[in-house]
Amino acid sequence: FSSFRFDIYRKVPKDLTQPTYTGAIISVCCCLFILFLFLSELTGFIATEIVNELYVDDPDKDSGGKIEVNLNISLPNLHCELVGLDIQDEMGRHEVGHIDNSMKIPLNNGDGCRFEGHFSINKVPGNFHVSTHSATAQPQNPDMTHVIHKLSFGDKLQVHNVHGAFNALEGADKLSSNPLASHDYILKIVPTVYEDMSGKQRYSYQYTVANKEYVAYSHTGRIIPAIWFRYDLSPITVKYTERRQPLYRFITSV
């Protein structure tokens, strides 16, 4: 028995310390591989991970039961004085010719109109529609062919890693449809929460859409077309959370 056997810093025989070309190549390859692994771990540590989850709740309780709506639509064959926005819902709201925070831009030398509106709706099933209902004199043959540039709800999320249906109707083109036809867009709105690294939350809404086209007659037999957006809210909330790999995990991996 000898205490020398406990020496963990033993001398290496001289024949094992002689450099060779093969050893140099292996050493360089190992160093490059180690550097690659380190950079990979560093990239993973710096990068932000987006984690999503689903739950049943009303996320934006401070909104007062309201949802902000942004609508931008062009009707190239309908005069601006005939275009109006009407809002209805199951809480009894019935507003014809909503004009707050809205703008009408003439198109095609005044023959058409681009309607841009920013308004709020209640968090209950309802609809808003673009029509001639608020016009002082109803046109004989209103042309409801249109292009939807934007329809979004809530805050705008400019996040590259989140791909969702926040503006699902963007680019919807109905210019070749029947001019006297009404259009129904049935929306299912899904509340969406985005929480960044600082803990700040932004509230937006995604939606799915189905549409149909038909000719509607009034009780007098006249055709009064409109562009309807009928909406209902999903009880499911989608939450996106920014996360980063913990420092201890990065150190352990390195």
Side-chain angles (χ1 to χ4, degrees):
F1 179 81
S2 174
S3 59
F4 289 110
R5 64 187 299 179
F6 295 107
D7 185 8
I8 61 175
Y9 301 103
R10 303 185 182 187
K11 292 183 177 180
V12 179
K14 289 185 178 181
D15 57 340
L16 297 180
T17 61
Q18 297 298 320
T20 62
Y21 288 110
T22 303
I25 294 174
I26 295 175
S27 299
V28 171
C29 292
C30 287
C31 290
L32 292 175
F33 185 61
I34 291 172
L35 179 62
F36 167 74
L37 292 179
F38 174 76
L39 293 177
S40 299
E41 288 296 331
L42 182 61
T43 302
F45 175 70
I46 295 175
T48 302
E49 179 185 11
I50 305 295
V51 180
N52 61 76
E53 57 181 315
L54 303 176
Y55 58 93
V56 179
D57 192 14
D58 178 13
D60 190 8
K61 296 181 176 63
D62 298 329
S63 65
K66 302 287 187 180
I67 300 176
E68 297 298 320
V69 184
N70 293 286
L71 176 64
N72 190 329
I73 183 171
S74 291
L75 298 94
N77 301 307
L78 194 64
H79 292 277
C80 280
E81 62 266 20
L82 301 175
V83 177
L85 176 70
D86 310 326
I87 306 173
Q88 298 173 303
D89 62 34
E90 292 187 358
M91 291 184 67
R93 182 181 183 182
H94 189 180
E95 187 174 349
V96 179
H98 180 88
I99 59 175
D100 293 340
N101 298 317
S102 62
M103 180 171 55
K104 299 177 184 180
I105 304 171
L107 300 175
N108 301 333
N109 297 320
D111 292 333
C113 186
R114 179 166 179 155
F115 179 86
E116 299 180 10
H118 178 77
F119 54 96
S120 62
I121 56 176
N122 294 316
K123 290 184 177 179
V124 295
N127 73 79
F128 51 91
H129 52 278
V130 177
S131 67
T132 62
H133 298 164
S134 61
T136 54
Q138 293 296 317
Q140 189 64 32
N141 295 306
D143 188 333
M144 282 294 167
T145 54
H146 62 276
V147 177
I148 300 175
H149 306 289
K150 181 179 182 180
L151 177 60
S152 63
F153 301 86
D155 296 337
K156 183 178 181 180
L157 297 182
Q158 294 179 326
V159 184
H160 298 294
N161 295 334
V162 176
H163 302 285
F166 295 97
N167 190 13
L169 278 174
E170 181 182 13
D173 188 334
K174 299 296 181 181
L175 295 179
S176 60
S177 62
N178 182 356
L180 296 177
S182 290
H183 301 267
D184 262 16
Y185 295 99
I186 297 107
L187 314 177
K188 177 66 75 171
I189 301 175
V190 182
T192 304
V193 182
Y194 187 87
E195 183 176 324
D196 58 22
M197 294 293 296
S198 64
K200 181 182 178 181
Q201 292 186 341
R202 284 176 287 173
Y203 303 96
S204 186
Y205 297 84
Q206 303 181 62
Y207 63 92
T208 59
V209 59
N211 69 285
K212 63 179 180 178
E213 180 180 329
Y214 58 94
V215 176
Y217 293 88
S218 67
H219 63 280
T220 60
R222 292 185 59 186
I223 300 176
I224 305 180
I227 304 170
W228 297 81
F229 301 93
R230 307 180 192 274
Y231 61 88
D232 193 6
L233 272 78
S234 170
I236 302 297
T237 296
V238 180
K239 183 178 182 180
Y240 297 98
T241 307
E242 285 186 355
R243 292 181 183 175
R244 186 167 288 163
Q245 180 181 334
L247 180 61
Y248 71 86
R249 186 180 300 173
F250 169 69
I251 295 175
T252 303
S253 299
V254 170

